[in-house]
Amino acid sequence: PDRHPPRIANGSRAVPCAKSNYTRGGGRAERGGGSAMAPSVDVVQMETDDPSSKKKEPRCYDELDTAIQKQLAIAGQGNLHAALEELLNLEKKERLAVDITGTKKTIFAILECCLKANDWPALNEHIRMLSKKRAQLKQAVAEMVRLAMKYLEQTPDRETKIELIKTLCAVTEGKIYVEIERARLVRMHAKMQEEMGHLVEARNIMQTVAVETYGQMAKTEKIAFILEQVRLCLDSGDFIRAAILAKKISVRAFEREDTDDLGNKKKREEATELAAEGTPVLHELKNIYYQLMIRYHMHSNNSLEVARCYLALYQDKRISTDLSISLGFLKKICWFIILSPFDSMQSSLLHQTAADKNMDELPEHARLLKQFITQELIDWPTLEQEYAGEMMAEGDVFGGEQAEVRKSDLKLRVVEHNIHVVAKYYSRITLKRLAQLLDLPSDESEKHLCSMIVSSALVAKIDRPAGIVTFVPKKDAAEVLNNWSRNIASLLELVEKSCHLIQKEAMQYKVTI
């Protein structure tokens, strides 16, 4: 048989395929020489040599460029409407031909005509219209938005700029391929509203975008956007929403460059766009984050969390490069740890701070921490007089609206420390003697004692008719279980010994039990 299939009249080549198992009449041919209703036929596939089916050659855009330049010249002569009509026809032709390059060229020409004519309403109108065209190409819309964003710096006044931003926000809404541009536009709009004094409106505008879902946005730009949302919420007094937004950022995201915004290590390299110009670097974002968290926790008077924020800033050497800055952080850490209620975390931070090597540079604060670590009573009037100058110098701690609140908190922490010292050295004490040791009236000392018992900071029982306080040491669950086990073992041992003695007596005196 001929190895090369014969050519047909039109130049095509017949290629034989495998024999079909089905007959023309629809019946199935029997294999192995069985009879069939009709003989099997060969299905022939046509391999065409038509040159039109080959890859298209690169298109030359000289003719299109000439037509665009002609319409730009017409628009420059003052006939903007006619030029736009012709350019829209060219855009329709290129768009329906699915030519990305040609569509971009015509769209850019339309925007350039409106810009040179200084007709900003027409520019906004054509941006909206071009984005809604049938079968509009995504690449063309994205490039149109990026070009229009460059025109924002050329707007004659603030109102025109805001109107163009609103137009671009409307065009990019719901389009994933321009989500980063939309986030940047929203941030620009919010900044302008804040400059105009509309703080609440700026906050609401920023909250319309959830950048934590944007996979292509740079990590630093994403964190900066969320921090801006938190700042606007704090400035406008919406502290609840600020706390919700702050939880979208994990502190692990500030540790390494190869982690995502949630702090998880990247499993693969993802194609992300570069951050916008002016975006802070990672350690600057960390500083901004903790400063915002300090504002939030100071508003809620959570001294322990404030101390932890300052501790994170103090331990980051990229932030506290200067020794004076580090010592300033260390002073605030000392004060806020002392102002925190007693618990295991507070005690751990207290001992950790007291053992810091830089505490040698702050002898006054080192002595203050030592007083709260040592199991000795602290005299509040003496402490207040000794550290009056230090408290006046710390305006961030003992200044502002909560100055009196912080001073009362410091006195309360001294009282709680003294009660812990008394509980360590006394198992039973009268309320009268307790009030003398605390240097407080009897009813006030009893009030502080009850508050500590309710908050589980201390285990004690008060016999009010007798006026006696019994300090019961707090037992661990494992210790209680071990004591119970030992008691049961001792009881069983006594029972076994008693049974043995009874049996011995019965055998000795031949008594039947």
Side-chain angles (χ1 to χ4, degrees):
D2 190 4
R3 293 185 179 182
H4 301 286
R7 289 187 174 271
I8 306 178
N10 62 356
S12 300
R13 183 173 294 159
V15 180
C17 297
K19 288 187 177 182
S20 173
N21 291 329
Y22 293 88
T23 64
R24 288 184 183 271
R28 184 175 181 88
E30 295 183 5
R31 297 190 180 186
S35 62
M37 294 179 63
S40 61
V41 297
D42 292 339
V43 180
V44 179
Q45 181 181 5
M46 305 302 295
E47 182 183 6
T48 178
D49 291 337
D50 188 3
S52 62
S53 64
K54 297 181 181 179
K55 187 176 180 180
K56 293 183 179 180
E57 295 294 333
R59 176 185 170 184
C60 181
Y61 292 95
D62 293 341
E63 184 179 351
L64 178 62
D65 293 338
T66 302
I68 290 175
Q69 292 299 327
K70 179 181 178 181
Q71 299 305 322
L72 289 175
I74 294 175
Q77 296 173 2
N79 196 355
L80 178 63
H81 181 71
L84 290 177
E85 287 292 333
E86 291 297 327
L87 288 173
L88 286 173
N89 291 332
L90 290 175
E91 185 273 336
K92 179 179 179 181
K93 178 181 176 182
E94 300 295 331
R95 170 167 45 85
L96 295 180
V98 197
D99 191 334
I100 298 176
T101 305
T103 306
K104 290 180 183 179
K105 286 178 177 290
T106 54
I107 289 178
F108 290 173
I110 292 171
L111 299 187
E112 187 178 352
C113 284
C114 297
L115 178 66
K116 289 183 177 180
N118 203 22
D119 193 343
W120 296 97
L123 178 65
N124 293 329
E125 179 184 354
H126 281 82
I127 289 175
R128 293 193 190 96
M129 180 173 58
L130 290 170
S131 66
K132 296 178 181 179
K133 290 287 187 179
R134 179 174 65 89
Q136 186 60 274
L137 304 175
K138 294 180 180 180
Q139 297 91 333
V141 175
E143 292 297 331
M144 177 183 67
V145 171
R146 295 188 185 101
L147 179 63
M149 288 177 66
K150 297 179 182 178
Y151 294 164
L152 291 172
E153 301 299 329
Q154 305 179 33
T155 50
D157 50 30
R158 178 179 294 176
E159 289 72 18
T160 305
K161 186 175 184 179
I162 292 177
E163 189 62 30
L164 180 56
I165 290 176
K166 288 182 178 179
T167 300
L168 294 175
C169 288
V171 169
T172 56
E173 185 176 4
K175 297 180 176 64
I176 298 178
Y177 52 90
V178 284
E179 59 185 7
I180 298 178
E181 287 76 11
R182 174 175 172 78
R184 293 171 181 171
L185 288 166
V186 166
R187 189 169 183 180
M188 278 192 267
H189 191 194
K191 184 179 180 180
M192 295 183 67
Q193 293 294 333
E194 184 181 8
E195 292 174 353
M196 294 167 59
H198 306 153
L199 191 60
V200 177
E201 186 174 352
R203 180 197 69 191
N204 295 335
I205 290 173
M206 285 290 287
Q207 290 173 7
T208 59
V209 177
V211 294
E212 64 273 10
T213 62
Y214 292 1
Q216 300 300 315
M217 180 177 280
K219 171 183 172 180
T220 53
E221 187 176 2
K222 194 181 300 186
I223 295 175
F225 193 95
I226 298 175
L227 291 178
E228 186 68 12
Q229 291 176 323
V230 175
R231 184 190 66 82
L232 288 173
C233 289
L234 292 176
D235 291 344
S236 60
D238 192 352
F239 292 93
I240 296 176
R241 194 177 296 275
I244 295 173
L245 291 170
K247 289 181 180 178
K248 295 179 179 180
I249 301 175
S250 172
V251 294
R252 293 180 298 171
F254 300 112
E255 301 303 327
R256 297 178 59 185
E257 294 288 347
D258 59 346
T259 56
D260 57 16
D261 54 305
L262 299 177
N264 301 318
K265 190 173 182 179
K266 290 182 179 178
K267 297 181 179 179
R268 59 183 177 86
E269 291 294 329
E270 297 180 355
T272 57
E273 290 195 11
L274 295 176
E277 185 179 357
T279 303
V281 294
L282 204 59
H283 70 273
E284 294 176 352
L285 292 172
K286 181 177 182 179
N287 186 19
I288 296 172
Y289 170 78
Y290 281 111
Q291 294 293 345
L292 293 174
M293 289 296 96
I294 288 169
R295 286 181 56 188
Y296 170 74
H297 292 305
M298 289 186 73
H299 173 266
S300 58
N301 200 23
N302 192 342
S303 301
L304 182 61
E305 291 299 326
V306 175
R308 293 179 64 186
C309 291
Y310 276 118
L311 182 62
L313 294 176
Y314 170 73
Q315 292 176 343
D316 192 340
K317 301 304 179 184
R318 295 177 299 177
I319 297 175
S320 56
T321 54
D322 191 1
L323 181 61
S324 60
I325 298 176
S326 299
L327 294 180
F329 287 152
L330 193 56
K331 289 179 182 179
K332 293 178 175 60
I333 292 169
C334 294
W335 283 114
F336 280 109
I337 287 178
I338 292 172
L339 290 171
S340 304
F342 176 82
D343 59 7
S344 59
M345 176 70 72
Q346 188 266 354
S347 179
S348 175
L349 289 177
L350 182 62
H351 287 80
Q352 178 184 346
T353 307
D356 193 278
K357 60 181 181 179
N358 287 332
M359 288 303 298
D360 297 336
E361 305 290 335
L362 305 172
E364 296 292 331
H365 294 78
R367 189 166 63 252
L368 176 64
L369 294 180
K370 187 176 180 180
Q371 291 186 50
F372 279 88
I373 293 175
T374 308
Q375 297 297 321
E376 296 179 359
L377 296 176
I378 300 176
D379 185 28
W380 165 246
T382 304
L383 181 70
E384 184 181 19
Q385 183 179 0
E386 183 179 358
Y387 290 94
E390 293 290 341
M391 288 190 288
M392 289 290 293
E394 292 292 339
D396 294 340
V397 183
F398 296 99
E401 300 177 354
Q402 295 187 342
E404 295 300 325
V405 176
R406 298 255 164 73
K407 289 180 181 178
S408 62
D409 286 346
L410 181 59
K411 182 179 179 180
L412 179 60
R413 301 301 169 245
V414 172
V415 172
E416 291 179 351
H417 170 78
N418 291 339
I419 292 176
H420 279 288
V421 173
V422 171
K424 182 176 182 179
Y425 292 104
Y426 286 83
S427 59
R428 297 173 74 249
I429 189 173
T430 61
L431 287 173
K432 183 178 180 180
R433 177 58 178 163
L434 179 62
Q436 291 176 355
L437 293 174
L438 298 180
D439 195 15
L440 293 174
S442 181
D443 55 346
E444 190 173 348
S445 62
E446 184 180 352
K447 174 185 175 182
H448 290 304
L449 179 62
C450 292
S451 177
M452 294 180 66
I453 294 173
V454 171
S455 62
S456 301
L458 185 70
V459 179
K461 295 180 180 180
I462 304 176
D463 187 354
R464 298 193 68 186
I468 297 175
V469 180
T470 304
F471 294 103
V472 181
K474 188 175 182 180
K475 294 183 179 180
D476 187 43
E479 183 180 356
V480 173
L481 186 60
N482 289 335
N483 290 336
W484 177 83
S485 178
R486 284 194 294 268
N487 292 335
I488 293 297
S490 177
L491 176 62
L492 293 177
E493 185 179 354
L494 290 174
V495 171
E496 185 179 0
K497 186 175 181 180
S498 301
C499 292
H500 175 71
L501 292 175
I502 292 172
Q503 188 68 23
K504 180 181 177 181
E505 293 290 333
M507 293 177 63
Q508 183 178 358
Y509 296 103
K510 298 179 181 180
V511 177
T512 304
I513 299 177

